[in-house]
Amino acid sequence: MELLEAGHARVVLRDRRRVRNHLASVHAVALVNLGELTSGLALTAALPPSVRGIPVGLESDFRKKARGRLVAECRCEAPEVTGTTEHTVTASIRDSSGDEVSVIRVRWRLDPALPLGERT
């Protein structure tokens, strides 16, 4: 991780053999995982401790083959959560040339956190 602030995260993925596919590029699922992680870090860093969240949907656009060092970045604002709320957060993944290789949109379900004794 390169950066973590409330509503802003930047995460790096090194290009290694274990994340490559048969086309010698970074596998689509590795890109989705990177985008989901980055969105979660940015969003949860912006949420108050009284709110919990879980991803309930993922959408991905793959723009070009992903190779080399990749940087995922997400900037978001946390919504006010007084009841169950859905909130979509977007992470952009760029290669070392600055080209956007993928965009990952994560739909989060946010709820007020229950006290420990009331959680199921």
Side-chain angles (χ1 to χ4, degrees), residues 20-93:
R20 284 183 168 240
N21 59 25
H22 65 288
L23 301 173
S25 61
V26 175
H27 196 282
V29 174
L31 295 172
V32 171
N33 283 333
L34 177 62
E36 188 271 333
L37 170 66
T38 306
S39 81
L41 288 169
L43 181 61
T44 57
L47 291 172
S50 60
V51 176
R52 64 182 181 174
I54 188 167
V56 294
L58 290 165
E59 185 179 327
S60 55
D61 292 326
F62 304 109
R63 309 259 162 101
K64 69 178 267 193
K65 288 182 183 176
R67 294 192 170 114
R69 179 180 186 267
L70 302 175
V71 178
E73 189 161 17
C74 177
R75 291 179 187 269
C76 66
E77 292 185 19
E80 183 176 337
V81 178
T82 56
T84 300
T85 303
E86 288 199 0
H87 184 66
T88 300
V89 178
T90 302
S92 173
I93 304 173

Coordinates of all heavy atoms in Angstrom, one line a residue, residues 20-93:
R20 N -0.4 -13.9 -13.3 CA -0.6 -13.8 -14.8 C -1.5 -14.9 -15.3 O -1.6 -15.9 -14.7 CB 0.8 -13.9 -15.4 CG 1.6 -12.6 -15.3 CD 2.9 -12.7 -16.1 NE 3.5 -11.4 -16.2 CZ 3.7 -10.8 -17.3 NH1 3.5 -11.4 -18.4 NH2 4.3 -9.6 -17.3
N21 N -2.0 -14.6 -16.4 CA -2.9 -15.6 -17.1 C -2.1 -16.2 -18.3 O -0.9 -15.9 -18.5 CB -4.2 -14.9 -17.6 CG -3.9 -13.7 -18.5 OD1 -2.9 -13.7 -19.2 ND2 -4.9 -12.8 -18.6
H22 N -2.8 -16.9 -19.1 CA -2.2 -17.6 -20.3 C -1.7 -16.6 -21.4 O -1.0 -17.0 -22.3 CB -3.1 -18.7 -20.9 CG -4.3 -18.1 -21.4 ND1 -5.4 -17.6 -20.7 CD2 -4.7 -17.9 -22.7 CE1 -6.3 -17.1 -21.5 NE2 -6.0 -17.3 -22.7
L23 N -2.2 -15.3 -21.3 CA -1.8 -14.3 -22.3 C -0.6 -13.5 -21.8 O -0.3 -12.4 -22.4 CB -3.0 -13.4 -22.6 CG -4.2 -14.1 -23.1 CD1 -5.4 -13.2 -23.2 CD2 -3.9 -14.7 -24.5
A24 N 0.0 -13.9 -20.7 CA 1.1 -13.2 -20.1 C 0.8 -11.8 -19.6 O 1.6 -10.9 -19.6 CB 2.3 -13.2 -21.0
S25 N -0.5 -11.6 -19.2 CA -0.9 -10.3 -18.6 C -1.5 -10.7 -17.2 O -1.8 -11.8 -16.9 CB -1.9 -9.6 -19.5 OG -3.1 -10.4 -19.7
V26 N -1.7 -9.6 -16.4 CA -2.3 -9.9 -15.1 C -3.7 -10.3 -15.3 O -4.5 -9.8 -16.0 CB -2.2 -8.6 -14.2 CG1 -2.9 -8.8 -12.9 CG2 -0.7 -8.2 -14.0
H27 N -4.1 -11.4 -14.5 CA -5.4 -12.0 -14.6 C -6.5 -11.1 -14.2 O -6.3 -10.3 -13.3 CB -5.4 -13.3 -13.7 CG -6.5 -14.2 -14.0 ND1 -7.8 -14.0 -13.6 CD2 -6.5 -15.4 -14.7 CE1 -8.5 -15.0 -14.0 NE2 -7.8 -15.8 -14.6
A28 N -7.6 -11.2 -14.9 CA -8.8 -10.4 -14.6 C -9.2 -10.4 -13.1 O -9.5 -9.4 -12.5 CB -9.9 -10.7 -15.5
V29 N -9.2 -11.6 -12.5 CA -9.6 -11.7 -11.2 C -8.6 -11.0 -10.2 O -9.0 -10.4 -9.2 CB -9.9 -13.2 -10.8 CG1 -10.2 -13.3 -9.3 CG2 -11.0 -13.8 -11.6
A30 N -7.4 -11.0 -10.5 CA -6.4 -10.3 -9.7 C -6.7 -8.8 -9.8 O -6.6 -8.1 -8.8 CB -5.0 -10.6 -10.2
L31 N -7.1 -8.3 -11.0 CA -7.4 -6.9 -11.1 C -8.7 -6.5 -10.3 O -8.7 -5.5 -9.6 CB -7.6 -6.5 -12.6 CG -6.4 -6.6 -13.5 CD1 -6.8 -6.5 -14.9 CD2 -5.4 -5.6 -13.1
V32 N -9.7 -7.4 -10.3 CA -10.9 -7.2 -9.6 C -10.6 -7.2 -8.1 O -11.1 -6.3 -7.3 CB -12.0 -8.2 -9.9 CG1 -13.2 -8.1 -9.0 CG2 -12.4 -8.0 -11.4
N33 N -9.8 -8.1 -7.6 CA -9.4 -8.2 -6.2 C -8.6 -6.9 -5.8 O -8.9 -6.4 -4.7 CB -8.5 -9.4 -5.9 CG -9.3 -10.7 -5.8 OD1 -10.4 -10.7 -5.5 ND2 -8.6 -11.8 -6.1
L34 N -7.8 -6.4 -6.6 CA -7.0 -5.2 -6.4 C -8.0 -4.0 -6.2 O -7.9 -3.2 -5.3 CB -6.0 -5.0 -7.4 CG -5.1 -3.7 -7.3 CD1 -4.3 -3.7 -6.1 CD2 -4.2 -3.6 -8.6
G35 N -8.9 -3.9 -7.2 CA -9.9 -2.8 -7.1 C -10.8 -2.9 -5.9 O -11.1 -1.9 -5.3
E36 N -11.2 -4.1 -5.6 CA -12.1 -4.3 -4.4 C -11.4 -3.9 -3.1 O -11.9 -3.2 -2.2 CB -12.7 -5.7 -4.3 CG -13.7 -5.9 -3.2 CD -13.1 -6.3 -1.9 OE1 -12.0 -6.9 -1.9 OE2 -13.8 -6.0 -0.9
L37 N -10.1 -4.4 -3.0 CA -9.3 -4.0 -1.8 C -9.1 -2.5 -1.7 O -9.3 -1.9 -0.6 CB -7.9 -4.7 -1.9 CG -6.9 -4.3 -0.9 CD1 -7.3 -4.7 0.5 CD2 -5.5 -4.9 -1.2
T38 N -8.8 -1.9 -2.8 CA -8.5 -0.4 -2.8 C -9.7 0.4 -2.4 O -9.7 1.3 -1.6 CB -7.9 0.0 -4.1 OG1 -6.8 -0.8 -4.4 CG2 -7.5 1.5 -4.1
S39 N -10.9 0.0 -3.0 CA -12.1 0.7 -2.7 C -12.5 0.5 -1.2 O -12.9 1.4 -0.5 CB -13.3 0.2 -3.6 OG -13.8 -1.0 -3.1
G40 N -12.3 -0.7 -0.7 CA -12.6 -1.0 0.7 C -11.7 -0.2 1.7 O -12.2 0.3 2.7
L41 N -10.5 -0.1 1.3 CA -9.6 0.7 2.2 C -10.0 2.1 2.2 O -10.1 2.7 3.3 CB -8.1 0.5 1.7 CG -7.5 -0.8 2.0 CD1 -6.1 -0.9 1.2 CD2 -7.2 -1.1 3.5
A42 N -10.2 2.7 1.1 CA -10.6 4.1 1.0 C -11.9 4.4 1.7 O -12.0 5.3 2.5 CB -10.7 4.6 -0.4
L43 N -12.9 3.5 1.5 CA -14.2 3.7 2.1 C -14.2 3.5 3.6 O -14.7 4.3 4.4 CB -15.3 2.8 1.4 CG -16.7 3.0 2.0 CD1 -17.2 4.4 1.7 CD2 -17.6 1.9 1.3
T44 N -13.6 2.4 4.0 CA -13.7 2.1 5.5 C -12.8 3.1 6.3 O -13.1 3.4 7.4 CB -13.3 0.6 5.8 OG1 -12.0 0.4 5.3 CG2 -14.2 -0.4 5.2
A45 N -11.8 3.6 5.7 CA -11.0 4.7 6.3 C -11.8 6.0 6.5 O -11.5 6.8 7.4 CB -9.7 5.0 5.6
A46 N -12.9 6.1 5.7 CA -13.7 7.3 5.7 C -14.9 7.2 6.6 O -15.5 8.1 7.0 CB -14.1 7.7 4.3
L47 N -15.3 5.9 6.9 CA -16.5 5.6 7.7 C -16.2 5.8 9.2 O -15.1 5.5 9.7 CB -17.0 4.2 7.5 CG -17.5 3.9 6.1 CD1 -17.8 2.4 5.9 CD2 -18.8 4.7 5.8
P48 N -17.2 6.2 9.9 CA -17.0 6.3 11.4 C -17.1 4.8 11.9 O -17.6 3.9 11.3 CB -18.2 7.1 11.8 CG -19.3 6.9 10.8 CD -18.5 6.8 9.5
P49 N -16.5 4.6 13.1 CA -16.5 3.3 13.7 C -18.0 2.7 13.9 O -18.1 1.5 14.1 CB -15.8 3.4 15.1 CG -15.3 4.8 15.1 CD -15.9 5.6 14.0
S50 N -19.0 3.6 13.9 CA -20.3 3.1 14.1 C -21.0 2.5 12.9 O -22.2 2.2 12.9 CB -21.2 4.3 14.6 OG -21.1 5.3 13.6
V51 N -20.2 2.4 11.8 CA -20.8 1.9 10.5 C -19.9 0.7 10.1 O -18.7 0.7 10.2 CB -20.8 3.0 9.4 CG1 -21.2 2.4 8.1 CG2 -21.7 4.2 9.8
R52 N -20.6 -0.3 9.5 CA -19.9 -1.5 9.0 C -20.3 -1.6 7.5 O -21.4 -1.1 7.1 CB -20.2 -2.7 9.8 CG -21.7 -3.1 9.7 CD -21.9 -4.3 10.5 NE -23.3 -4.7 10.4 CZ -23.9 -5.8 11.0 NH1 -23.1 -6.6 11.6 NH2 -25.1 -6.0 10.8
G53 N -19.5 -2.3 6.7 CA -19.8 -2.4 5.3 C -19.4 -3.8 4.8 O -18.5 -4.4 5.3
I54 N -20.1 -4.2 3.7 CA -19.7 -5.4 3.0 C -20.0 -5.2 1.5 O -21.0 -4.6 1.1 CB -20.5 -6.6 3.6 CG1 -20.0 -7.9 3.0 CG2 -22.0 -6.5 3.3 CD1 -20.4 -9.2 3.7
P55 N -19.1 -5.7 0.6 CA -19.4 -5.6 -0.8 C -20.5 -6.5 -1.2 O -20.6 -7.7 -0.8 CB -18.1 -6.1 -1.5 CG -17.1 -6.2 -0.4 CD -17.8 -6.3 0.9
V56 N -21.5 -6.0 -2.0 CA -22.6 -6.8 -2.5 C -22.7 -6.9 -4.0 O -23.5 -7.6 -4.5 CB -23.9 -6.3 -1.9 CG1 -24.0 -6.5 -0.4 CG2 -24.2 -4.8 -2.2
G57 N -21.8 -6.1 -4.7 CA -21.7 -6.2 -6.1 C -20.4 -5.7 -6.6 O -19.8 -4.8 -6.0
L58 N -20.0 -6.3 -7.7 CA -18.7 -5.9 -8.4 C -19.0 -5.7 -9.9 O -19.7 -6.6 -10.5 CB -17.6 -6.9 -8.2 CG -17.0 -7.1 -6.8 CD1 -16.3 -8.4 -6.7 CD2 -16.1 -5.9 -6.5
E59 N -18.4 -4.7 -10.5 CA -18.5 -4.5 -11.9 C -17.1 -4.1 -12.4 O -16.5 -3.3 -11.8 CB -19.5 -3.4 -12.2 CG -19.8 -3.2 -13.7 CD -20.8 -2.1 -13.9 OE1 -21.8 -2.0 -13.1 OE2 -20.7 -1.4 -14.9
S60 N -16.7 -4.7 -13.5 CA -15.3 -4.4 -14.0 C -15.3 -4.1 -15.5 O -16.1 -4.7 -16.2 CB -14.4 -5.5 -13.7 OG -14.9 -6.7 -14.2
D61 N -14.5 -3.1 -15.8 CA -14.2 -2.8 -17.2 C -12.7 -3.1 -17.4 O -11.9 -2.5 -16.7 CB -14.5 -1.4 -17.6 CG -16.0 -1.1 -17.5 OD1 -16.8 -2.0 -17.9 OD2 -16.4 0.0 -17.2
F62 N -12.4 -3.9 -18.4 CA -11.0 -4.1 -18.7 C -10.6 -3.4 -20.0 O -11.2 -3.6 -21.0 CB -10.7 -5.6 -18.8 CG -11.1 -6.4 -17.6 CD1 -12.2 -7.2 -17.6 CD2 -10.4 -6.2 -16.4 CE1 -12.6 -7.9 -16.5 CE2 -10.8 -6.9 -15.3 CZ -11.9 -7.7 -15.3
R63 N -9.7 -2.4 -19.9 CA -9.5 -1.5 -21.0 C -8.3 -1.9 -21.9 O -8.3 -1.7 -23.1 CB -9.2 -0.1 -20.5 CG -10.3 0.4 -19.5 CD -11.2 1.4 -20.2 NE -12.5 1.5 -19.5 CZ -12.8 2.5 -18.7 NH1 -11.9 3.5 -18.6 NH2 -14.0 2.6 -18.1
K64 N -7.3 -2.6 -21.3 CA -6.2 -3.1 -22.0 C -5.5 -4.1 -21.2 O -5.7 -4.2 -20.0 CB -5.2 -2.0 -22.5 CG -4.4 -1.3 -21.3 CD -3.4 -0.2 -21.8 CE -2.1 -0.8 -22.0 NZ -1.0 0.2 -22.2
K65 N -4.6 -4.9 -21.8 CA -3.9 -5.9 -21.1 C -3.0 -5.3 -20.0 O -2.4 -4.3 -20.2 CB -2.9 -6.7 -22.0 CG -3.7 -7.7 -22.9 CD -2.8 -8.5 -23.8 CE -3.5 -9.4 -24.7 NZ -2.7 -10.1 -25.6
A66 N -3.1 -5.8 -18.8 CA -2.4 -5.3 -17.7 C -1.1 -6.0 -17.5 O -1.0 -7.2 -17.3 CB -3.2 -5.4 -16.4
R67 N 0.0 -5.2 -17.6 CA 1.3 -5.7 -17.4 C 2.2 -4.8 -16.6 O 2.0 -3.6 -16.7 CB 2.0 -6.0 -18.8 CG 1.3 -7.1 -19.6 CD 2.1 -7.5 -20.8 NE 1.5 -8.6 -21.4 CZ 1.0 -8.7 -22.6 NH1 1.0 -7.6 -23.4 NH2 0.5 -9.8 -23.1
G68 N 3.2 -5.3 -16.0 CA 4.1 -4.5 -15.2 C 3.5 -4.1 -13.9 O 2.5 -4.6 -13.4
R69 N 4.1 -3.1 -13.2 CA 3.7 -2.6 -11.9 C 2.3 -1.8 -12.1 O 2.2 -1.0 -13.0 CB 4.7 -1.6 -11.4 CG 4.4 -1.0 -10.1 CD 5.5 0.0 -9.7 NE 5.3 0.5 -8.3 CZ 4.7 1.7 -8.1 NH1 4.3 2.4 -9.1 NH2 4.6 2.1 -6.8
L70 N 1.3 -2.2 -11.4 CA 0.0 -1.6 -11.5 C -0.3 -0.8 -10.2 O 0.0 -1.3 -9.1 CB -1.1 -2.7 -11.7 CG -0.9 -3.6 -12.9 CD1 -1.9 -4.7 -12.9 CD2 -0.9 -2.8 -14.2
V71 N -1.0 0.3 -10.4 CA -1.4 1.1 -9.2 C -2.9 1.3 -9.3 O -3.4 1.8 -10.3 CB -0.6 2.5 -9.3 CG1 -1.1 3.4 -8.1 CG2 0.9 2.3 -9.2
A72 N -3.5 0.9 -8.2 CA -5.0 1.1 -8.1 C -5.2 2.3 -7.1 O -4.5 2.4 -6.1 CB -5.6 -0.1 -7.5
E73 N -6.1 3.2 -7.5 CA -6.4 4.3 -6.7 C -7.9 4.5 -6.6 O -8.6 4.3 -7.6 CB -5.7 5.6 -7.3 CG -5.8 6.8 -6.4 CD -4.8 7.8 -6.7 OE1 -4.3 7.8 -7.8 OE2 -4.6 8.7 -5.8
C74 N -8.3 4.9 -5.4 CA -9.7 5.2 -5.2 C -9.9 6.4 -4.3 O -9.2 6.5 -3.3 CB -10.4 4.0 -4.4 SG -12.1 4.2 -4.0
R75 N -10.7 7.3 -4.7 CA -11.1 8.5 -3.9 C -12.6 8.4 -3.8 O -13.3 8.3 -4.8 CB -10.7 9.8 -4.6 CG -9.2 10.0 -4.7 CD -8.9 11.3 -5.4 NE -7.5 11.5 -5.7 CZ -6.7 12.1 -4.8 NH1 -7.1 12.6 -3.7 NH2 -5.4 12.2 -5.1
C76 N -13.1 8.6 -2.6 CA -14.5 8.5 -2.3 C -14.9 9.3 -1.1 O -14.0 9.7 -0.3 CB -15.0 7.0 -2.2 SG -14.3 6.2 -0.7
E77 N -16.2 9.5 -1.0 CA -16.7 10.1 0.2 C -17.7 9.1 0.9 O -18.4 8.4 0.2 CB -17.5 11.4 -0.1 CG -16.6 12.5 -0.6 CD -17.4 13.8 -0.8 OE1 -18.5 14.0 -0.2 OE2 -16.8 14.7 -1.5
A78 N -17.7 9.1 2.2 CA -18.6 8.2 2.9 C -20.0 8.9 3.0 O -20.1 10.0 3.4 CB -18.1 7.9 4.2
P79 N -21.0 8.2 2.7 CA -22.4 8.8 2.8 C -22.8 8.7 4.3 O -22.2 8.0 5.1 CB -23.3 7.8 2.0 CG -22.6 6.5 2.2 CD -21.1 6.8 2.1
E80 N -23.8 9.5 4.6 CA -24.3 9.4 6.0 C -25.1 8.1 6.1 O -25.9 7.8 5.2 CB -25.2 10.6 6.3 CG -25.8 10.6 7.7 CD -26.6 11.9 8.0 OE1 -26.4 12.9 7.3 OE2 -27.4 11.8 8.9
V81 N -24.9 7.3 7.1 CA -25.6 6.0 7.2 C -26.4 6.1 8.5 O -25.9 6.1 9.6 CB -24.5 4.9 7.3 CG1 -25.2 3.6 7.4 CG2 -23.6 4.9 6.0
T82 N -27.7 6.1 8.3 CA -28.6 6.0 9.4 C -29.4 4.7 9.4 O -30.1 4.3 10.4 CB -29.6 7.2 9.4 OG1 -30.3 7.2 8.2 CG2 -28.8 8.5 9.6
G83 N -29.4 4.0 8.3 CA -30.0 2.7 8.1 C -29.3 2.0 7.0 O -28.2 2.5 6.5
T84 N -29.8 0.9 6.5 CA -29.1 0.2 5.4 C -29.0 1.1 4.2 O -30.0 1.6 3.8 CB -29.8 -1.1 5.1 OG1 -29.8 -2.0 6.3 CG2 -29.1 -1.9 4.0
T85 N -27.8 1.2 3.7 CA -27.6 2.1 2.5 C -26.6 1.4 1.6 O -25.7 0.7 2.0 CB -26.8 3.4 3.0 OG1 -27.6 4.0 4.0 CG2 -26.5 4.3 1.9
E86 N -26.9 1.5 0.3 CA -25.9 1.0 -0.7 C -25.2 2.2 -1.3 O -25.8 3.3 -1.6 CB -26.7 0.2 -1.8 CG -27.1 -1.1 -1.3 CD -27.4 -2.1 -2.4 OE1 -27.3 -1.8 -3.6 OE2 -27.8 -3.2 -2.0
H87 N -23.9 2.0 -1.5 CA -23.0 3.1 -1.9 C -22.0 2.5 -2.9 O -21.3 1.5 -2.5 CB -22.3 3.7 -0.7 CG -21.5 4.9 -1.1 ND1 -22.0 6.1 -1.5 CD2 -20.1 5.1 -1.0 CE1 -21.0 6.9 -1.7 NE2 -19.9 6.4 -1.4
T88 N -21.8 3.1 -4.1 CA -20.9 2.5 -5.1 C -19.6 3.4 -5.0 O -19.6 4.6 -5.0 CB -21.5 2.5 -6.5 OG1 -22.7 1.7 -6.5 CG2 -20.5 2.0 -7.5
V89 N -18.5 2.6 -5.0 CA -17.2 3.2 -5.0 C -16.4 2.7 -6.2 O -16.5 1.5 -6.5 CB -16.5 2.9 -3.7 CG1 -15.1 3.5 -3.6 CG2 -17.3 3.4 -2.5
T90 N -15.6 3.6 -6.8 CA -14.9 3.2 -8.0 C -13.4 3.3 -7.8 O -12.9 4.3 -7.2 CB -15.2 4.2 -9.2 OG1 -16.6 4.1 -9.4 CG2 -14.5 3.8 -10.5
A91 N -12.7 2.2 -8.3 CA -11.2 2.2 -8.2 C -10.7 2.2 -9.7 O -11.2 1.4 -10.5 CB -10.7 1.0 -7.4
S92 N -9.7 2.9 -9.9 CA -9.0 3.0 -11.3 C -7.7 2.3 -11.1 O -6.9 2.6 -10.2 CB -8.9 4.4 -11.7 OG -8.1 4.5 -12.9
I93 N -7.3 1.4 -12.1 CA -6.0 0.7 -12.1 C -5.3 1.2 -13.3 O -5.7 1.1 -14.4 CB -6.2 -0.8 -12.1 CG1 -7.1 -1.2 -10.9 CG2 -4.9 -1.5 -12.1 CD1 -7.5 -2.7 -10.8

